[in-house]
């Protein structure tokens, strides 16, 4: 234990105090694993805590210091975002796309049209809970990155943190804003395609409809693990999107200047107004049957401006193009391409449920008993039979209202959307946690039962270790079923989804990425083995912006290659299955890429360049040639991460208090629903808060961990392998970045907070009896040492792996030692640890009281130990109100008294000494959380 530093004064200015902190950290620098008894982070925290107690620094001073590091982190984040998009922002990506298009045009009109009219990729907006920054800060961040001015983000006093109302409605609004940016950028990409076509094919370009990249969203339609999205809200969202898009089409037609389309523009405006009115009806309380009837009959009846298909408007535009001038024809060509690609919505939509919801919905129809939990071969056979024999059932909104099974209701919604909103645009139906082919076949049965199979793409999501292991066999088994082959032949595509979030949580990000690549390749092999030709394969890779969810820290091409490797793309090409590679942009962190026109253009232009390029799948790479060794590395990585996930010390570290440092960053619950008493079950914590908790403990080990242990007894071979293999070099880049921000000193600093001997030592050095009592009370409450022991054991476990990794890389990846981001992050951890110590000290001064509201003094101390500070403050406010309402009337009693107890009037002293200081600490802890996330470049 380090004795408290007898500090009498600390620098007052934030920049000078920051320099003091960084110097203190530098002075105690070690290898992070070779000096476990030297802890610069914990020592700095102790100094700052001592400074608070002695008046050498104030909470206001520390708050200004937090702001200083947060502003620096925001600027660093903007700089990283600008570097990610360097090629797009500089115009290099656009120039490369133009050059590639001209090369394709030189092969003739047929080759060019096939290349630009066949969809090759997609951008999907998802509302994962990563809205840790307010809209205004996200906008400033995007502008600073796009305009090359990250330094302007420092010293501005930004309010780092989320907006106060992080609701589903606001998430949908943010998704629509991102889609606006993406749609405008996609129009510019299409303009580039048509510009090249006008140059190379002056007599034929008007026939082209570019469709390289699709836009989609599941915001408002994702019911996996959610009960807060009513079916009426999903309909309302879709109608709002339809209204926006119809108004956009009308305005674009008017702006084109093309004659003869005035009536069409007027009809589209009328349709937009009608859809907006319908949306308001579906926003009502649709638990009331009368309101359901009103909304349903209005939408499904005849009304002015009813449009459910764009085939007529597209024909009118095509006719107008034939007689229009060059520029007007170009404008109309862009509108027509958008109409064909987007349909009657701002984006395609993805409905998502989980496999359990699907199984529950079809079990009775398949004649299965409840105890047939595996949903195996019998379920597949019966589901295939039912799918083949299904007779279409008609659906109304009354059916939707009455249906209680989520999966059935979602397929009914598909039917209603196709009948009454948009008859042409396909709908993606995602099945989360899909581990058996019967789940997919059950979904196909429901799709045929409700008459939507011809317009719905059913996509299994592989994200758990079991699903990734079985995914290849699942695809093989489905392709062996004639009813499934007929279905995908009719759709012209096979769709799969791969989840980097949960897979990275269970088996580590590097191991998950290798498992996902393997599943890509197995899918390509299965298609080739079954002779399935002429189908596109939609590969939707859901990832995120942080290293903990699959976004590579390199450039944009490296990011896309990380998600779908050149080798995998080459395997699909060899199988005769052209890939449509869709990637996700998750929540606030993902939407930043489209929050500024220059960033949106850079994102889509870089994506187009990647999609149009031929994958370099034949380059020599020992990763694929030495498959036995590669397989050994993969299994070792996976085994280490899976053992870590089951490690009781890891579970205690991630769940004991770290989630309570997180800000509310989305409308979705951070924890999965579970039975009472499962709060410490790590599988109940969702992927993004799990990753965020690791950030806040300074141990992003689901990325940085495992490779050291995978070395085994051959460190030289692994080192050579890393040097020779481009594939391993890509993984190494991600691991090295995570290593930079992995600080065992910070983790051990958190362990110190729960070390009884630390507080006993402070009691011995206390200058007053009250301080001594407070410190001894903390030591007594922490006497079981369980949290301290768990955190220290975890640090020791991680140090062994990091030691092997650092020694194996022999300094090549050791830039982390001097990385300013790492030092700033460690300083923030030290500041937070000092604030937590202050919170512990404050609550320990609470006087003894008889149990009230089913709470004891010990319960309140335990709440603060778990950093559930708002709950503790709320309880304290009830137990010790500042004033008891109405008691001031007692002053009117004429009889004098000398026994008027303060408790009768309130507890202003406890409020001033304990409750209000405690309440002030929690927002500072949360501001540190957001500041740390800047250095990771994303939340979770």
């Amino acid at each position: 234990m380090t004795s408290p530093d007898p500090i009498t004064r600390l620098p007052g200015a934030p920049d000078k105090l920051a320099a003091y902190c960084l110097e203190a950290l530098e002075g105690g620098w070690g290898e992070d694993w070779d000096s476990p008894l030297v802890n610069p982070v914990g020592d700095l925290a102790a100094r700052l805590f001592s400074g608070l107690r002695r008046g050498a620094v104030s909470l206001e001073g520390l708050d200004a210091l937090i702001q200083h590091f947060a502003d620096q982190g925001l600027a660093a984040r903007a700089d990283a975002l600008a570097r990610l998009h360097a090629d797009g922002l500089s115009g290099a990506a656009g120039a490369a796309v133009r050059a590639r298009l001209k090369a394709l045009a030189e092969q003739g009109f047929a080759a060019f049209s096939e290349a630009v009219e066949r969809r090759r990729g997609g951008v999907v907006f998802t509302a994962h809970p990563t809205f840790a920054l307010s809209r205004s800060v996200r906008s400033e961040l995007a502008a600073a990155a796009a305009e090359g001015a990250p330094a302007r983000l420092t010293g501005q006093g930004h309010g780092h943190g989320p907006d106060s109302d992080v609701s589903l409605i606001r998430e949908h609004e943010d998704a629509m804003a991102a889609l606006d940016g993406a749609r405008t950028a996609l129009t510019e990409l299409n303009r580039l395609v048509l510009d090249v076509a006008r140059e190379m094919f002056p007599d034929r370009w008007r026939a082209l409809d570019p469709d390289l990249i699709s836009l989609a969203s599941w915001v408002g339609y994702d019911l996996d693990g959610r009960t807060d999205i009513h079916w009426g809200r999903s309909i309302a969202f879709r109608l709002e999107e339809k209204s926006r898009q119809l108004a956009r089409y009308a305005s674009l037609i008017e702006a084109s200047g093309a004659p003869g389309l005035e009536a069409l523009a007027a009809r589209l405006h009328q349709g937009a107004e009608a859809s907006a009115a319908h949306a308001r009806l579906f926003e009502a309380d649709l638990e009331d049957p009368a309101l359901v009837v009103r909304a349903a009959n209005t939408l499904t009846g005849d009304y002015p401006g009813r449009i459910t298909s764009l085939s007529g408007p597209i024909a009118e535009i095509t006719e107008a193009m034939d007689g229009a001038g060059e520029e007007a024809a170009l404008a109309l060509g862009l509108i027509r391409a958008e109409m064909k690609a987007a349909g009657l919505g701002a984006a395609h939509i993805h409905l998502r449920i989980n496999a359990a919801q699907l199984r529950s919905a079809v079990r009775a129809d398949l004649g299965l008993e409840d105890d047939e939990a595996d949903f195996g071969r019998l379920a597949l056979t019966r589901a295939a039979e039912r799918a083949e024999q299904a007779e279409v059932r008609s659906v109304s909104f009354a059916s939707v209202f009455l249906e209680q099974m989520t999966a059935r209701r979602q397929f009914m919604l598909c039917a209603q959307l196709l009948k009454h909103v948009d008859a042409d645009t396909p709908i993606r139906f995602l099945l989360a946690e899909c581990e058996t082919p019967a789940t997919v076949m059950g979904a196909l049965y429901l799709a045929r039962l409700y008459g939507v199979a011809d317009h719905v793409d059913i996509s299994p999501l592989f994200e758990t270790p079991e699903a990734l292991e079985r995914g290849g066999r699942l695809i093989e088994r489905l392709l062996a079923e004639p009813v499934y082959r007929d279905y995908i032949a009719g759709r012209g595509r096979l769709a799969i989804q791969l989840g980097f979030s949960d897979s990275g949580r269970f088996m580590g990000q590097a191991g998950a990425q290798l498992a996902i690549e393997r599943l890509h390749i197995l899918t390509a092999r299965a298609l080739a083995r079954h002779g399935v030709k002429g189908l596109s394969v939609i590969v939707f890779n859901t990832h995120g912006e942080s290293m903990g969810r699959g976004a590579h820290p390199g450039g944009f091409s490296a990011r896309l290659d990380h998600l779908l490797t050149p080798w995998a793309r080459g395997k699909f090409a060899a199988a005769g299955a052209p890939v449509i590679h869709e990637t996700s942009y998750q929540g606030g962190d993902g939407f930043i890429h489209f929050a500024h026109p220059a960033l949106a253009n850079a994102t889509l232009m870089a994506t187009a360049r990647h999609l149009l390029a031929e994958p370099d799948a034949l380059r020599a790479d020992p990763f694929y040639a030495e498959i036995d060794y590669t397989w050994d590395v993969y299994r070792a990585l996976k085994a280490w991460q899976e053992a870590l996930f089951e490690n009781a010390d890891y579970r205690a570290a991630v769940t004991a208090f770290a989630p309570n440092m997180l800000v509310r960053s989305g409308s979705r619950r951070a924890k999965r629903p579970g039975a009472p008493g499962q709060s410490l079950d790590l599988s109940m914590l969702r992927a993004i808060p799990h990753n965020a908790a690791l950030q806040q403990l300074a141990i992003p080990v689901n990325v940085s961990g495992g490779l050291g242990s995978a070395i085994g007894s051959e460190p030289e071979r692994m080192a050579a392998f890393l040097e020779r293999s481009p594939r391993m070099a890509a993984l190494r880049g991600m691991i090295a970045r995570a290593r930079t921000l992995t600080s065992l000193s910070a983790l051990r600093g958190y362990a110190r907070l729960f070390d009884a001997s630390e507080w006993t030592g402070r009691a011995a050095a206390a200058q007053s009896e009250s301080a001594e009592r407070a410190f001894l009370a903390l030591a007594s409450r922490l006497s079981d040492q369980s949290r301290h022991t768990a955190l220290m054991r975890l640090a020791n476990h991680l140090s062994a792996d990091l030691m092997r990794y650092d020694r194996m890389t022999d300094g090549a990846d050791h830039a982390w030692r001097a990385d300013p981001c790492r030092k700033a992050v460690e300083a923030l951890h030290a500041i937070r640890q000092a604030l937590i110590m202050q919170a512990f000290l404050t609550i320990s001064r609470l006087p003894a009281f008889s149990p009230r509201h089913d709470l004891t003094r010990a319960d309140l101390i335990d709440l603060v130990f778990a950093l559930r500070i708002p709950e503790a403050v709320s309880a304290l406010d009830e137990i010790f109100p500042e004033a008891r309402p109405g008691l001031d009337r007692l002053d009117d009693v004429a009889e004098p008294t000398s026994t008027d107890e303060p408790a009768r009037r309130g507890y202003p002293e406890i409020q001033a000494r304990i409750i209000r200081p405690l309440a002030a600490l929690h927002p500072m802890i949360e501001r540190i959380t957001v500041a740390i996330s800047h250095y990771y470049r994303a939340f979770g």
Side-chain angles (χ1 to χ4, degrees):
M1 185 197 78
T2 302
S3 61
D5 190 336
I7 289 175
T8 57
R9 187 178 178 189
L10 287 169
D15 57 341
K16 289 185 171 56
L17 187 52
Y20 169 88
C21 291
L22 297 177
E23 183 180 355
L25 290 169
E26 187 70 34
W29 209 253
E31 291 287 352
D32 212 28
W33 41 261
D34 68 350
S35 305
L37 300 181
V38 177
N39 190 337
V41 177
D43 290 348
L44 175 58
R47 290 194 201 183
L48 294 174
F49 175 55
S50 178
L52 279 173
R53 290 182 52 236
R54 297 168 188 273
V57 67
S58 65
L59 287 179
E60 292 76 15
L62 289 185
D63 209 22
L65 180 61
I66 295 167
Q67 183 75 47
H68 172 84
F69 282 121
D71 284 351
Q72 284 196 340
L74 189 63
R77 187 171 177 178
D79 182 62
L81 185 60
R83 283 186 278 111
L84 175 69
H85 289 297
D87 285 353
L89 291 171
S90 69
V97 171
R98 178 179 287 276
R100 178 61 179 156
L101 289 171
K102 291 198 73 170
L104 288 167
E106 288 169 357
Q107 299 175 24
F109 184 79
F112 184 81
S113 62
E114 192 280 333
V116 302
E117 292 188 321
R118 177 175 65 79
R119 187 169 299 162
R120 294 167 178 261
V123 166
V124 184
F125 294 98
T126 66
H128 282 70
T130 62
F131 294 89
L133 294 181
S134 67
R135 286 175 172 174
S136 60
V137 172
R138 292 201 306 267
S139 177
E140 290 182 55
L141 170 60
E147 297 163 17
R152 75 181 184 208
L153 294 173
T154 59
Q156 300 301 310
H158 299 280
H160 299 265
D163 291 310
S164 58
D165 178 23
V166 187
S167 65
L168 178 66
I169 302 296
R170 287 180 66 88
E171 288 173 346
H172 186 260
E173 291 170 355
D174 287 343
M176 291 302 101
L179 274 163
D180 285 344
R183 182 65 63 194
T184 300
L186 188 55
T187 297
E188 292 309 303
L189 174 61
N190 288 343
R191 188 187 305 278
L192 174 58
V193 172
L194 292 182
D195 279 345
V196 171
R198 289 164 69 192
E199 176 187 347
M200 303 295 287
F201 310 107
D203 298 328
R204 304 184 67 181
W205 70 269
R206 296 182 191 218
L208 291 172
D209 292 306
D211 187 19
L212 288 170
I213 299 172
S214 65
L215 302 180
S217 171
W218 77 33
V219 183
Y221 309 101
D222 169 18
L223 299 191
D224 175 24
R226 296 188 73 146
T227 58
D228 61 327
I229 302 179
H230 191 274
W231 63 265
R233 169 50 61 190
S234 294
I235 294 286
F237 279 153
R238 194 58 178 157
L239 288 167
E240 288 173 18
E241 294 164 21
K242 178 178 181 178
S243 177
R244 290 167 63 101
Q245 195 66 8
L246 284 171
R248 173 181 167 85
Y249 291 145
S251 297
L252 289 172
I253 289 170
E254 291 168 342
S256 73
L261 293 175
E262 295 81 4
L264 174 59
R267 291 202 309 275
L268 295 174
H269 275 306
Q270 191 176 41
E273 293 170 3
S275 293
H278 295 153
R280 289 191 290 271
L281 293 176
F282 278 91
E283 288 169 355
D285 177 12
L286 295 192
E287 296 303 319
D288 182 344
L291 296 178
V292 173
V293 171
R294 180 187 174 199
N297 288 347
T298 305
L299 176 63
T300 62
D302 290 328
Y303 55 87
R306 179 178 174 87
I307 301 172
T308 57
S309 173
L310 286 174
S311 58
I314 288 171
E316 290 184 56
I317 289 172
T318 300
E319 184 178 352
M321 283 180 68
D322 292 338
E326 190 85 353
E327 291 306 313
L330 175 60
L332 292 178
L334 291 171
I335 298 169
R336 185 181 66 185
E338 185 173 329
M339 283 183 164
K340 286 188 174 183
L344 287 166
H348 292 198
I349 59 171
H350 290 187
L351 276 60
R352 189 167 87 146
I353 63 171
N354 59 50
Q357 291 168 320
L358 189 285
R359 290 195 298 269
S360 177
V362 301
R363 189 179 295 277
D365 283 19
L366 302 186
L368 299 174
E369 300 295 333
D370 288 344
D371 58 359
E372 293 184 69
D374 62 344
F375 215 61
R377 184 174 299 178
L378 176 61
L380 176 62
T381 300
R382 290 185 178 176
E385 291 171 354
R386 300 294 192 279
E388 194 167 24
Q389 301 165 5
E391 295 184 7
V392 176
R393 296 181 184 177
S394 59
V395 173
S396 73
F397 281 109
S399 317
V400 177
F401 176 82
L402 293 169
E403 181 56 59
Q404 297 301 305
M405 293 286 189
T406 299
R408 287 180 179 272
R409 190 174 60 235
Q410 289 301 92
F411 277 107
M412 290 177 177
L413 279 183
C414 289
Q416 294 302 86
L417 289 170
L418 290 166
K419 281 192 292 183
H420 304 298
V421 180
D422 185 346
D424 302 328
T425 307
I427 296 171
R428 188 77 52 79
F429 205 101
L430 304 172
L431 298 170
E433 302 171 13
C434 187
E435 297 178 2
T436 67
T439 303
V440 180
M441 194 63 73
L444 177 55
Y445 159 64
L446 291 180
R448 290 196 163 181
L449 188 67
Y450 296 115
V452 298
D454 292 342
H455 286 82
V456 170
D457 292 306
I458 298 167
S459 174
L461 163 57
F462 306 107
E463 57 185 340
T464 64
E466 293 78 10
L468 290 171
E469 287 290 334
R470 302 173 185 173
R473 294 192 297 277
L474 185 152
I475 297 296
E476 283 270 9
R477 190 67 187 84
L478 284 173
L479 290 174
E481 292 290 337
V483 65
Y484 182 77
R485 287 203 307 274
D486 289 345
Y487 162 68
I488 59 174
R491 294 294 307 129
R493 64 191 70 140
L494 178 149
I496 60 173
Q497 181 188 352
L498 292 305
F500 283 74
S501 293
D502 276 320
S503 58
R505 177 165 61 109
F506 292 121
M507 57 196 297
Q509 200 62 63
Q513 208 284 331
L514 295 175
I516 287 169
E517 180 184 22
R518 177 173 175 266
L519 185 47
H520 290 155
I521 293 169
L522 289 176
T523 301
R525 288 179 182 171
L527 290 167
R529 188 175 295 115
H530 287 273
V532 178
K533 300 286 186 181
L535 289 182
S536 296
V537 179
I538 299 173
V539 179
F540 175 23
N541 287 314
T542 51
H543 57 110
E545 306 315 306
S546 75
M547 65 186 80
R549 285 179 287 127
H552 196 273
F556 209 82
S557 290
R559 171 195 180 105
L560 294 173
D561 274 343
H562 174 76
L563 300 172
L564 185 67
T565 65
W567 185 266
R569 292 172 67 197
K571 291 297 182 184
F572 280 115
V579 171
I580 301 173
H581 183 202
E582 296 182 349
T583 60
S584 63
Y585 291 83
Q586 294 187 349
D589 293 340
F591 296 174
I592 286 173
H593 295 278
F594 301 90
H596 188 281
L599 282 182
N601 283 330
T603 301
L604 286 192
M605 205 60 73
T607 301
R609 178 180 65 177
H610 189 267
L611 295 172
L612 287 168
E614 294 296 329
D616 183 14
L618 298 179
R619 60 184 176 183
D621 191 331
F623 182 89
Y624 302 105
E626 301 172 22
I627 195 64
D628 289 342
Y629 182 65
T630 302
W631 187 244
D632 287 344
V633 171
Y634 162 69
R635 284 186 298 187
L637 269 171
K638 179 173 176 285
W640 190 90
Q641 288 284 351
E642 288 178 336
L644 180 68
F645 191 84
E646 297 299 327
N647 185 303
D649 297 326
Y650 181 73
R651 181 170 64 250
V654 174
T655 64
F657 64 91
N660 298 319
M661 295 190 286
L662 306 182
V663 297
R664 186 170 184 269
S665 60
S667 65
R668 194 185 196 199
R669 286 180 299 188
K671 293 181 180 179
R672 297 176 185 272
Q678 288 188 328
S679 60
L680 294 182
D681 184 346
L682 197 53
S683 65
M684 292 295 105
L685 190 65
R686 294 189 185 277
I688 289 171
H690 177 273
N691 294 331
L694 293 180
Q695 288 181 2
Q696 301 309 317
L697 291 170
I699 50 167
V701 289
N702 62 346
V703 184
S704 63
L707 188 59
S709 297
I711 293 166
S713 60
E714 301 179 284
E716 296 83 4
R717 182 175 184 181
M718 173 63 80
F721 198 61
L722 288 171
E723 291 297 325
R724 293 184 296 122
S725 168
R727 180 72 185 90
M728 281 301 292
L731 284 177
R732 174 185 181 175
M734 185 175 67
I735 293 169
R737 172 65 185 165
R739 174 65 185 98
T740 297
L741 296 173
T742 301
S743 171
L744 297 186
S745 293
L747 179 63
R748 290 188 174 107
Y750 287 109
R752 272 190 184 182
L753 301 175
F754 303 100
D755 183 358
S757 64
E758 185 83 10
W759 297 103
T760 303
R762 291 187 179 281
Q767 302 296 309
S768 68
E769 284 190 31
S770 64
E772 179 182 316
R773 283 196 303 270
F775 289 139
L776 287 176
L778 289 171
S780 175
R781 194 68 195 153
L782 294 168
S783 60
D784 71 354
Q785 294 289 97
S786 58
R787 273 168 284 199
H788 169 259
T789 303
L791 290 168
M792 289 302 290
R793 280 197 306 238
L794 176 63
N796 295 336
H797 175 69
L798 299 178
S799 69
D801 180 70
L802 290 178
M803 175 186 67
R804 295 188 186 100
Y805 173 79
D806 288 347
R807 287 177 174 171
M808 182 268 297
T809 54
D810 195 26
D813 290 344
H814 293 187
W816 57 267
R817 292 188 181 120
D819 191 290
C821 288
R822 176 192 172 90
K823 292 181 182 180
V825 167
E826 289 198 314
L828 285 165
H829 283 294
I831 297 165
R832 182 160 59 197
Q833 288 166 19
L835 294 175
I836 292 172
M837 285 190 272
Q838 184 69 18
F840 288 4
L841 177 60
T842 301
I843 193 64
S844 72
R845 287 174 167 157
L846 183 67
F849 63 91
S850 58
R852 302 179 203 174
H853 304 278
D854 296 323
L855 287 170
T856 66
R857 179 176 180 272
D859 293 331
L860 290 166
I861 292 174
D862 288 346
L863 280 176
V864 175
F865 283 168
L867 296 189
R868 293 162 60 179
I869 295 176
E871 292 177 58
V873 169
S874 178
L876 285 166
D877 273 332
E878 286 192 44
I879 298 169
F880 301 105
E882 184 147 14
R884 297 172 67 185
L887 291 190
D888 57 338
R889 295 296 304 274
L890 295 176
D891 292 337
D892 295 337
V893 173
E895 183 180 9
T897 178
S898 61
T899 59
D900 184 4
E901 298 177 6
R904 293 178 60 193
R905 303 299 177 93
Y907 302 87
E909 191 271 340
I910 290 178
Q911 285 279 337
R913 190 166 62 91
I914 296 172
I915 301 176
R916 299 280 70 83
L918 200 58
L921 290 168
H922 184 71
M924 295 176 67
I925 290 171
E926 286 194 329
R927 283 195 284 277
I928 290 174
T929 296
V930 177
I932 287 173
S933 74
H934 290 328
Y935 293 94
Y936 284 86
R937 304 169 188 170
F939 183 84

